[in-house]
Every structure is written in C-alpha cells, then in structure tokens.
Amino acid sequence: MRKCRRLKGHNSHTSDGPDYSNPSSPSRSRKWRKKPPYPPRSIQVENVDGLHRRLSNRQIQWIAIGGSIGTALFVSIGWGLVEGGPGSLFIAFAGYCAILALANSCMAEMSVFMPVVGGWVRMSSKWIDEAYGFMAGWNFFLYEAVLIPFEISALNLVLTYWRDDIPVAAVVAACIVLYGIINLFAVRAYGESEFWLASGKVLLIFMLFCFTFVTMVGGNPKHDAYGFRYWKNPGSFAEYIHTGNLGRFEGFLGAYFQASFTIVGPEYVAMVAGEAIYPRKTIKAAFKTMYFRFGIFFIMGALCVGIVLPYNDKTLNDLLSTQGTGTGASSPYVIAMKNMGISVLPDLTNALMVTSIFSAGNSYVYCATRTLYSLSIDGHAPQFLQKTTKAGVPIYCFCVTMVFPLLAFLSVGRAASEGVKWLANITQAAQLMDYIFMCTLYLFFYRALKVQGYDRNSLPYKGWGQPYVAILGVILFSITLAIYGYATFYAFDVGTFFTYYAMCFICIILWVGFKLIKRSKFIRPEDADLVWERPKIDAYEARQKKKKTAEVA
C-alpha cells in the first residue's frame, strides 16, 4: 500500500473533492450537514498526522483491558477495605463504575466519530477553545509522565517480597531499557507487548476470583467454609476517622476515593484511536465492552477482597501503617492466602503483580508520548516534537518522556524516594479532571452537532442518554474532586492540602496563562470543525475495506 505524506494543515483538502474547511462550501450546506459528507476518493492515506495505524482489534481490546486493570486492584484496594469495610467497598466500587460509565459514553461517541491522535486533548482545541485543549493536554501528559517513575519504584518494592538485596538501580535501568525497546521501534511492538502483559493481568484476576470462590466454600487447607463471615463479624461497614454513623459514612468515602483512583479505562482507549487499523470498528468495540470490564473486574474484585479478609485483619493493618501498599505482601489476597496456610500461590500472585506493574508503566510511556505529540501538532508544544521515525514513532516526544523514568533512580535514596511519591500524589487530581474535561467537551460537541444540523442517529456510534449523561458526569466528577481531600480540613496543613489539589491550581494557571498570551476565544458551535480529519479517516477505512475484500477474493 502506498503511503501518503501527512497533508499540511488540519483542514487540508485536495482539488478533486469538495472544500470541507470552507463554511460557505456546498459541502457545509444544510443538506450535507444532515448526513456526514462522503470522503473524497482522492484522499488515500494509511496514516494520519505521521503515525501509523498498526493496532489490530485483538491488541486494542487487550490494551483496553491492560490499561484499565492496575496494581491498585490487587494491592492498594486494601486501603478501601480497611477504611470502609466490605460493604462500603462493594457499594463504592459499583457506584463509581456507574459514574465512570457516564464519561465512557461521552468519549465513545466522540472517539468513534473522530478517531484522531490525541483523543479528547485535540478535540478540546477544535470544539471548545485552544486554551482548554492546552490545559487538558498538559494535565494528562504530566499525570502520565510522573506515574512512570512511581510505577518503577513500586516494582522495586514488590520485588522485596522475595529478597531485600536486589540492586534498585539495576531494576530501574532494566525497566527504562525495556520501555525503550517496546515503545521505540513500532506501535505494533507496543500493541503486542501489551497484549501479553494484559493477558497476565487477566490470568491473575481470574485466578484470584477462583481462589475466593474455592476457599469460601471450604476448599482450603483448614477446610473452613467461611462464606460471607467477615461481612457479619467484624461487619460490613467500618468506621473511619470518627465513630458512629459519621464514621461509617467517612469509611464509605474512603472506599469511594480508593475506587476513583483504581477504576480507569476510557482515556486509554481514546489515546490508541489514532493508531488503530480499523478505528471506528475496533474503538467502538473497545468502548462498548468497557461496561462489562467495569462489572467483571472492578465490582467483582471489590466483592472478593471483602470476602477473603476482614477489614480489621492485624497483618493488613500493620503492613499498611508501616509499609503502605508498596509491597506485594500488603495485598489482601496474599495475606488471606498466608492466613489459610496456602503456599506457592502467594509467590505466583506476586510474580503476576510484577508484570502488572511493568505493564502499567509501559502504558504510561505510550500515552505520555502520544499526548506530547498531539500537543505539538496543535502548536501547544515545540514543533520539532512532531518528528516521527519510519515506524511511526514520535522520536523526540519519546525522548522527552523518557527523561521522567530517570527520576526512579531517586528510589536509591530513602529521602529522595519520598519525593517521587510526593510527585505522584500531587497529580492524582489530574485523573478526575480528565473525566471532567471529557464530559464538558461532549456538551460542546453535542451543541455543535445540533447547531450544524447533524443527525446523531447517523453517527457511527450514538451514546446513550445524552446530553443528560454528560451533564450528570460533570456534576458528579466535580463533586468527587471537590471533596476527596476533605480530611485535610480537620487539621489543616498547607502541604497536605496542595498534595490533594495542586493540579487544580496548575490547570487554572495553564488555562489563564494561555488565554492571556494567545488571546484565544471560545469556539462558537456553528464554527466548530466537525469535518476536520474525517475525510482522511473515511478514505483510509474505505481503502482498508477494499484491500481486505480483495485479499479474501
């Protein structure tokens, strides 16, 4: 297949087709708006914006799984159990899955309609305001980039489950080299690596589900059919900070905030949309199956944790108070296995956790690189970052991103290691803000569709319950962001307060600063570019379909 160079300008067109970028063109008339214009046949591209579309449906599905299942589901979830108890943990995870489904519905409709590199980051610049896209992009880049050294540091700590004398610097260097090999050569290498790493995560979680069921009905060395015993004694709802009903409510909030940092997904699917072989087909499938992943992995995971271990387990509480959730030994599952006298299985669980942590860092490298690249395309980062290799890898963006893993060498010193954790903590609010950005973006997108006369029934994917779903998403995510650091106000400390809310202030500075320097204005709904890269994407998909038909024939 012949590859065409990226067309200059975001609204470029050829002389053989209608001018989609011109509002006065017949293609932008009322007649055309009711149904999306058919792409010019002369536009035949295999890649858009310099990146190659090489991710298959199999890889996309597994990347979506791998990106949504993190170490928090196996280890950090212990905090939610201790603070809220099994009942609060289950309700909190089920409730937050329902809330995140709101953002997933918004992002699915927009990504399938316009599967571009950078996802909602670039859409924000096109459909809301350049300053908004600038803020959203840098917020996501900083969040992803800072988490890379944090995951490498966590990997080092998990390895101490077996022995304490493993050289920290050697592990850090090995991770950096492997991330470089996987991400540098081609997107297909990343997709294949994530496929197998995600397979390890799926194997781990189903193994833990089976462990929970078998042991709760008596299949353990003690032959104790404990069932839902721990829901009755010590109880379903733990008290946290205060006692009584207030304490139980605060326990639920503790479990809910743990859920808000454990359950993710839509952002990773949106980021790979620009490199999918059949973007509309594969991305649609990935978003639609996201709801099943929420139910199977997260809600079931929270239920299982509350079954196998009581929230007042002495070992769990001692480990969390001394070591935090940095080691595999603090996993509720590992503790439960040891309490039952089960051997070998804890080692296998910890080994699969190692692959899970490595996979998370690998995903962060990919997403940070592509986010920085999308910022460069829109002029929100230096232009030289747009340079890509023949394999379609943004080489300079990759080099900038790989500076962050070097921070993991700080883990060699204990005091410096705390600095890495602090950096990771101050970016936690960025995750909630991503979902606020997505839901807000959808409202502008929905308004532009309505004003420009687009029939949503003709879209390749139509989200459910819109625009009310997006409105509810903005409200609920904003409330979560506003209250998740409420405990700091009991004994106010400036440092702790900024740990929770630093990214909120950083985003405000980014948005206001861009507005003042660039004088950008909010885009009117009638001026929002709903054509943009669709002609090129439609032409690419038509060419791929024709090629596949020819191969079958």
Side-chain angles (χ1 to χ4, degrees):
M1 181 182 296
R2 182 175 63 86
K3 300 179 182 179
C4 298
R5 294 183 179 179
R6 181 171 64 88
L7 302 178
K8 294 183 178 180
H10 302 307
N11 299 317
S12 299
H13 58 277
T14 64
S15 58
D16 298 329
D19 183 357
Y20 293 102
S21 63
N22 184 1
S24 62
S25 169
S27 65
R28 296 296 297 270
S29 67
R30 206 69 174 170
K31 179 179 178 181
W32 278 106
R33 289 175 185 168
K34 291 182 180 178
K35 290 186 178 180
Y38 191 82
R41 294 190 178 185
S42 59
I43 301 178
Q44 297 179 349
V45 292
E46 185 172 321
N47 56 73
V48 178
D49 288 322
L51 303 185
H52 293 184
R53 292 191 178 274
R54 290 289 186 271
L55 295 176
S56 65
N57 182 49
R58 169 181 62 89
Q59 293 170 332
I60 291 286
Q61 292 294 335
W62 247 240
I63 287 172
I65 292 174
S68 59
I69 301 176
T71 314
L73 185 61
F74 311 118
V75 182
S76 303
I77 196 172
W79 280 113
L81 178 63
V82 168
E83 294 175 359
S88 289
L89 185 68
F90 177 74
I91 295 171
F93 269 64
Y96 191 77
C97 280
I99 295 174
L100 192 54
L102 305 177
N104 188 73
S105 177
C106 296
M107 203 63 243
E109 183 172 320
M110 294 185 293
S111 289
V112 176
F113 175 77
M114 192 75 70
V116 295
V117 175
W120 80 96
V121 172
R122 295 184 63 206
M123 293 175 189
S124 297
S125 296
K126 285 288 183 180
W127 300 337
I128 300 181
D129 172 30
E130 271 204 80
Y132 201 87
F134 178 82
M135 172 185 65
W138 282 105
N139 174 75
F140 189 63
F141 172 75
L142 291 173
Y143 171 68
E144 295 290 307
V146 167
L147 284 179
I148 302 170
F150 178 77
E151 290 296 331
I152 296 177
S153 299
L155 181 62
N156 265 307
L157 290 172
V158 169
L159 290 175
T160 61
Y161 174 82
W162 289 295
R163 53 190 301 172
D164 297 327
D165 58 349
I166 299 175
V168 174
V171 175
V172 174
C175 285
I176 293 175
V177 171
L178 289 174
Y179 288 155
I181 293 173
I182 293 171
N183 286 270
L184 186 58
F185 293 105
V187 67
R188 184 175 291 176
Y190 166 77
E192 199 62 26
S193 67
E194 275 302 294
F195 173 81
W196 292 107
L197 290 171
S199 298
K201 290 184 181 182
V202 174
L203 174 63
L204 172 60
I205 196 167
F206 278 107
M207 182 183 76
L208 295 176
F209 286 170
C210 292
F211 159 77
T212 301
F213 176 75
V214 171
T215 57
M216 72 182 293
V217 297
N220 56 72
K222 297 181 179 181
H223 304 291
D224 178 18
Y226 57 89
F228 284 85
R229 177 188 302 162
Y230 302 132
W231 285 60
K232 297 178 181 179
N233 182 25
S236 301
F237 302 96
E239 297 175 345
Y240 178 59
I241 301 181
H242 294 91
T243 59
N245 290 333
L246 176 60
R248 283 186 283 272
F249 176 69
E250 289 178 319
F252 167 76
L253 289 180
Y256 176 75
F257 296 142
Q258 182 60 50
S260 69
F261 298 128
T262 302
I263 306 169
V264 296
E267 62 270 47
Y268 295 102
V269 178
M271 274 294 148
V272 300
E275 294 174 90
I277 294 178
Y278 300 101
R280 297 217 168 89
K281 179 181 178 181
T282 55
I283 298 302
K284 181 196 296 186
F287 274 115
K288 290 176 72 175
T289 56
M290 188 72 70
Y291 304 109
F292 299 103
R293 285 191 286 275
F294 288 158
I296 295 175
F297 298 134
F298 297 114
I299 299 177
M300 283 293 295
L303 178 64
C304 289
V305 166
I307 290 174
V308 299
L309 204 66
Y311 69 78
N312 64 349
D313 182 86
K314 186 178 185 302
T315 303
L316 177 63
N317 282 268
D318 288 346
L319 284 172
L320 292 181
S321 61
T322 57
Q323 300 180 24
T325 53
T327 70
S330 59
S331 168
Y333 294 107
V334 172
I335 295 172
M337 292 170 189
K338 290 185 175 180
N339 289 347
M340 296 177 198
I342 298 175
S343 59
V344 180
L345 197 56
D347 293 277
L348 178 59
T349 300
N350 203 69
L352 289 173
M353 284 183 192
V354 170
T355 64
S356 177
I357 295 173
F358 180 84
S359 172
N362 193 38
S363 296
Y364 297 147
V365 171
Y366 174 87
C367 287
T369 300
R370 268 49 180 187
T371 304
L372 187 58
Y373 182 73
S374 66
L375 285 167
S376 179
I377 291 175
D378 286 344
H380 300 159
Q383 189 174 3
F384 75 89
L385 295 173
Q386 296 181 35
K387 172 69 175 177
T388 59
T389 65
K390 291 182 180 180
V393 177
I395 181 63
Y396 294 137
C397 292
F398 170 79
C399 292
V400 172
T401 299
M402 290 306 289
V403 171
F404 287 85
L406 297 177
L407 294 174
F409 282 110
L410 295 174
S411 301
V412 176
R414 185 174 182 82
S417 178
E418 292 300 316
V420 176
K421 294 179 182 178
W422 182 81
L423 283 174
N425 287 338
I426 67 170
T427 60
Q428 287 301 310
Q431 182 171 306
L432 286 169
M433 296 178 74
D434 287 334
Y435 302 134
I436 295 174
F437 295 153
M438 291 176 191
C439 294
T440 304
L441 170 64
Y442 182 85
L443 293 175
F444 281 82
F445 170 69
Y446 180 89
R447 186 179 66 162
L449 287 175
K450 188 174 182 179
V451 170
Q452 295 188 27
Y454 277 80
D455 181 7
R456 288 184 63 237
N457 292 317
S458 69
L459 299 182
Y461 178 81
K462 180 183 177 182
W464 45 275
Q466 298 293 4
Y468 308 106
V469 161
I471 295 172
L472 185 61
V474 171
I475 294 172
L476 294 179
F477 284 118
S478 297
I479 292 174
T480 303
L481 178 63
I483 67 172
Y484 92 112
Y486 78 96
T488 61
F489 295 99
Y490 286 141
F492 186 78
D493 177 75
V494 175
T496 306
F497 174 80
F498 275 98
T499 295
Y500 283 104
Y501 296 106
M503 283 306 300
C504 299
F505 296 106
I506 291 174
C507 283
I508 292 174
I509 293 172
L510 290 172
W511 184 74
V512 173
F514 192 94
K515 295 287 286 186
L516 292 175
I517 296 173
K518 296 292 186 178
R519 302 291 181 180
S520 65
K521 297 180 180 180
F522 282 99
I523 299 170
R524 297 184 301 174
E526 58 269 26
D527 294 332
D529 190 355
L530 297 178
V531 175
W532 194 8
E533 291 186 351
R534 275 175 44 232
K536 292 185 285 185
I537 296 169
D538 291 347
Y540 161 76
E541 287 197 319
R543 185 176 176 84
Q544 288 294 106
K545 185 177 181 181
K546 184 178 180 181
K547 180 181 178 181
K548 185 176 181 180
T549 303
E551 289 175 350
V552 172

